[in-house]
């Protein structure tokens, strides 16, 4: 089977395995260590443009929160979905 015969998921898994095998991400350890986002950005999960590319931000400069429709619903008590609010709180308190 050639690479063109594979489905995209198998292609991505193969790429990730090669990167781990070849230690291709070793040079990115400094990015993870210095990750200090200056802003949080809420975007829809199917947004076709990476927020970092859209804004020109360097890796780790934007804390991305992606969800359905890119919305942060109002807090409505225990019945509400708190995931977007929790992500924003994490961005503000931790970063």
């Amino acid at each position: 089977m050639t690479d063109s015969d594979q489905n995209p998921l198998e292609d991505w898994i193969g790429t990730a395995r090669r990167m781990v095998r070849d230690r291709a991400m070793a040079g990115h350890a400094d990015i993870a260590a210095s990750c200090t986002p200056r802003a949080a950005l809420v975007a829809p999960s199917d947004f076709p443009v990476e927020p970092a590319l859209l804004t020109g931000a360097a890796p780790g400069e934007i804390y991305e929160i992606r969800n359905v429709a890119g919305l942060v619903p109002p807090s409505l008590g225990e019945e509400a979905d708190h995931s977007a609010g929790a992500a924003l709180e994490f961005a503000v308190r931790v970063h």
Side-chain angles (χ1 to χ4, degrees):
M1 178 181 290
T2 66
D3 283 346
S4 61
D5 294 333
Q6 293 182 6
N7 70 40
L9 183 57
E10 290 172 345
D11 236 5
W12 297 330
I13 291 170
T15 299
R17 287 181 175 152
R18 281 190 300 281
M19 291 180 81
V20 169
R21 181 193 66 224
D22 299 342
R23 300 184 185 273
M25 297 303 290
H28 295 283
D30 57 330
I31 293 172
S34 67
C35 184
T36 54
R38 297 185 308 154
L41 188 138
V42 180
S45 54
D46 62 347
F47 193 56
V49 180
E50 288 293 320
L53 291 174
L54 180 68
T55 61
E61 262 190 312
I62 294 178
Y63 184 80
E64 295 179 29
I65 302 166
R66 289 183 171 239
N67 62 12
V68 174
L71 297 175
V72 178
S75 178
L76 299 173
E78 293 302 315
E79 290 82 37
D81 178 10
H82 299 286
S83 60
L88 278 171
E89 184 173 355
F90 178 81
V92 171
R93 290 183 185 247
V94 175
H95 294 293

